[in-house]
Amino acid sequence: MNAYLGYRSILLSAWVAGVFSTLVGVILVIDGMNRLDKVPLEATSFVQLREQFLQQPDNDQLRQEIQALDLALRQEYFRELRFTERGSYLLLGGILVTLIFSKWAATLYRKLPRPKPKLPGPDSDEVLSHRGPWAVAVVMLVLVGTAWAMKAGHQSVLPSTLDALASVHHPVGERKSDGQDAVIEPVLAELPSAAEMRANWPSFRGADGSGIASDQDAPTVWDGESGEGIVWKAVVPLPGVNSPIVWQDRVFLSGATAEERGVYCFDAGSGSLLWSTDIAVDPTVAGQPIKTSDDTGYAAPTMATDGRLVFAMFADGQLVALDFAGNEMWTRSLGVPQRNNYGHASSLVTYQGSVIVQYDQGSSEDQLSKLMCFDGATGSPIWETIRATPASWSSPIVIEHDGQAQVITCCDPWVMSHSPSDGMELWRANCLERVEVGPSPVYSDGIVYAGNDTAIYAAIAVDGSGDVTETHVQWTADYGLPDTCSPLVTDEFVLTLASYGTLFCFDKQKGGEPLWEEDFGADFLSSPSLVGDRVYLFSRDGTAWVVEPTGEACNRISEAQLGEECVTCPAFHQGKIFIRGSEHLFCIGSANADDQ
Amino acid sequence: MNRIFRLRVAALLVVALVGGVLMGGVMADESSDLMFPVPEFSDHPIPTASVPEVQGEVAPLLDVAILFVALCLASYFTLVSRSRRNVLLLTIASLLWFGFWRQGCVCPVGATQNVALAIFDPTYVVPLTVVAFFVLPLVFTLFFGRTFCASVCPLGAMQELLAVRSIRVPRWLDHSLGLVAYIYLGAAVIFAATKTGFIICRYDPFIPFFRLGANTDMLLFGSSILLISVFVGRPYCRYLCPYGAILRVLSCFSKWRLSIPPDTCINCQLCEDVCPYGAIHPPTVTQSPERRRKGKRRLVTALMVAPVVVLGFWWLGTALAVPLSQWHPESRLAEQVRLEELGVAASTTEASDAFRGSGRSVEQLYQSALSRRNDFVTLGGLLGAWTGLVIGFKLIHLSVRRRRDDYQADRAGCVSCGRCYWYCPVEKVRLGLISDVSEALPDGQLPTGPLVQLTVGGKKS
Amino acid sequence: MNSEKQTDRRGFLADGARVAGVVSAGVLGGFLAGRRGQADENRWQIDPDKCVGCGNCATHCVLDESAVKCVQCFDMCGFCNRCTGYYTLDGLDSRDTAAEDLLCPTEAIIRTFVEGKAGQNFYEYTIDTDACIGCAMCVKGCALMNGSLYLQVMHDRCVNCNECAIAVACPSDAFVNVSADKPYRLKRVALGVMRQKAGKADKAAQKLIDQVQADE
């Protein structure tokens, strides 16, 4: 009986000590959480009071308040230090007493374990050799998963070798400060004026990427089969889905297969191939697998020219500059695009003698996507900006607003504007959430129109800065959005063309629901263009329509046949249309339908 | 703010200049680097600050001697006097001395890293105490089993005292979780050898308790390990401790080791039930020929799979060069500086600011980070291969059967805590506490029925 | 019979492994001992020339009250009236020793008047080590001027962790290993001054020099 009582009292003591230790522990934890910052006087109340005091240095009451708070804070700090220290010792003591008493109690009332009768069956070694390997396999899986997560979670922005670093690092290090234009040495002839650029067709969808011709007139009737209205047609040696660009009397194109690549120059008047230059594969990327699709191929980006040199880019990330005589001036490999599902397709654009590349790839966490700018004359990098966006297939445009140039790009989820002189971001608007961006942005009268099927279409004023999603989006539309073809913005309307063959017309000022829609019963990959009041649409099977949009309906003017598949955008120059079919480059220059 | 500050500094400078001129040539030569010269006072000598002497130091020899004595005692208590009580007392003493008095540093577990660093970096001077701390328990284990773990290691002691309500971890789980310790060991060695950091010390769950204070994360980690150790015996020792991983292997070759009954085992199963660490295994059953064939097949499969596993993990390890190298602060700094240069970083960090102030060139930093990354391709591969080797070995080990005629402690898993002594009826008879083994059994009877079935064919009558 | 043979073979293997283990442990120990240059244990210390005064020392030490504290090198101090290590920058003008103008969060800097000379008042700034928490605010402030205040690991407090938690958090890699018999550092500028002073039979200076490891 006595022994039992002794056991009870020892057990009780152990319990009391245990509860005490728990209490002390809980108090310590609560105290630790409520504790001031580890350095006194970093308390917000003190900082605020001090800021107030700095504004009214003669306020004696405030001064006294500060002094009082200061003293209180310091005392509190040291009190807490002592409190924690004593608390820790109490906790340690409590735990020791608990342990000793519970051990004592356990010794007094030791219960022998009661083995459970074992069932006949495989012994534990047998079970172990059965299950062990599977458990080890699970551990292996966990390890592989951990390794994968580690790899995904730790990307490096450093290149693989220092040489690669040196080539990119130098110009970035000398980046100009905000708003200050980089001086690009004009090593060749003078840069063309903006008017000259507009008079030609120097890049994808013309000088400003709008698809609007500077001429007021272009042919409306032709037939590729019979040759009616076709001034000339010329075979393009290698396939490609890039569109022709025109500078004065020359038309440029590129073409490539997995093995060969070439840049071609045709005479605009006769269609004869003036020169063709084979481009060698850069040894640093040779043999690496390149992901392409039927819609992009190996030469998807449309070339660009600044009137002095022409620039071309290929699916393996090689950027090349040639002079007007076809001599290769420089070439630069930007690395094979990583995890780009359809293959690199963004076209090139120039700005004051530099060439800008939208090189989006990978996923948004990879930080592989870059907007890059290279000196046109030498190919040395001027700036590059890493962007946390996944791969996209849209092309950049360079616009000028209020005397400030901007390069506008579409990527998931942003429509972004950067300064083309130093790569500094100007503004961004969120309207391309989780889409594979195809259509390129278009600028007209201070507004950028951009959007993509499954996201929204938005008209964004370009005078903002930072995130302008809430402030500068003029209107949005969520029906009738383009998926591949870029929109056409006329004086009154925004026309979007869905690849399944429907043309939608929105009010340029209001957006919202389309004014009308017109179905052409054909597939489209080529973007609509505008000459005067007429819209040119080239469908995939080679049928072309010329229509005139009004506020109420779409008036069809004419329908013509190219006689060849067509997925590229036409170039308009001096009353002629240059368009690339699957095999030929066509120059269309017939009489107008009106004349007939 | 900046402007005001500059004005102030300028004003101060003017005051100082005027002061300096007025004081004439009192400026001492050596203080010419200073913005304000040290004044010379008429009757006030310039004092010198004093800094405290090193305190709390124990003579290195004494430190090693105490470890040696503790190891001797531990081995004596477990192997010769077979006294659980003495082992327990020694455990408490070790916890108080090595844990709370010496505050857990330096311990053999952490010393692994110092030794690794000393081997790979000839400029690093490793104190002899640390070498002795690393080597002594190894040698003792080779002769006496893991007596260090039982009652000398303060980390083990802490968990040992808390192992009161242990549940049995299934053996397959125990074996697979135990692999983590070997990987931890590999990682600790490569990180120590490359001066990346001493991760064993950084993530030591018991240091917050020995030092009575630490940051919240460590305290939470430590508390959860302690809480778990109430229900799962010695979780750190079994599944994490890198030094324990070494001792586990060495213990398999030990000359003497703990044996449960002093003479004949009566197969009462008491010791198996009481071992909190699942380190006592029952006698084995003789296998049917079919089972034996299956076992052989399993062994052949394991032997074939093992090299593939090694190669696979080696490849995986080489792919981890970037994340592994980023454990080193300098590599992280290089990434940050690069991000800042590209204009992607949201803001600068203290480290990048300090770097810019240090005058080191960016190229040098990048070069160093890149060469470290290259190193880690090899080292990551080695770590991977080591992991693969351990896994492969475990797979082979799992498919090999060893015969046991009675209850035996697992050579690797037994930490020589001596709990089983107290429960072993044969031991009690030896000590003269009881006259017959049946007195110590739960129902006062010798085991019958199930045990007999189990041991059919396993033991010759 | 068979099993006995097996046991023998095992025993032989284990013996071999044991001998190999002991030999390799001995070789390892001998190798490391032979390579040892210095006889002493290592200690952690801050290189004051590298320290940027980030404040991590106050918050990252495993001890609740950090082992790092501020040290005043009087031979580098200008004894200024307007001390940027003592006053907050916006409090410099008011020169009131009341709380609102002081930098130190624990009032660990004691300011005493020394002498008025050539129209200037000179003050001595002493660190109250018990109150100092090693937050480096004064160090940062003083760095704008002479930089006579600097942080040191105080070895009466430091428990000499194998891996110092502050060293892990240090942004400027200022934590270095020094030998236990010379466990302190001085700023490079102060080293010469202190040596001169010690040469003039200044005992305190000699004592400090003896405790300081120089990087030469």
Side-chain angles (χ1 to χ4, degrees), chain B residues 40 44 52 103 118 198 253, chain C residues 18 35 117 124 159 163 184:
Chain B
E40 223 160 80
H44 182 81
Q103 305 204 308
F198 283 5
F253 304 107
Chain C
R18 195 158 44 248
R35 191 192 262 175
K117 201 170 157 185
E124 188 170 276
V159 290
E163 180 173 75
Y184 290 92

Side-chain angles (χ1 to χ4, degrees), chain A residues 151-163:
Chain A
K151 191 153 171 54
H154 291 80
Q155 295 292 337
S156 175
V157 287
L158 290 173
S160 47
T161 66
L162 203 63
D163 292 341

Side-chain angles (χ1 to χ4, degrees), chain A residues 126, chain B residues 287-298:
Chain A
E126 185 67 38
Chain B
Q287 284 183 306
S288 62
E290 192 207 349
R291 280 249 160 88
R292 197 169 292 162
R293 265 201 306 281
K294 255 190 185 169
K296 270 197 183 139
R297 265 210 303 279
R298 209 174 283 138

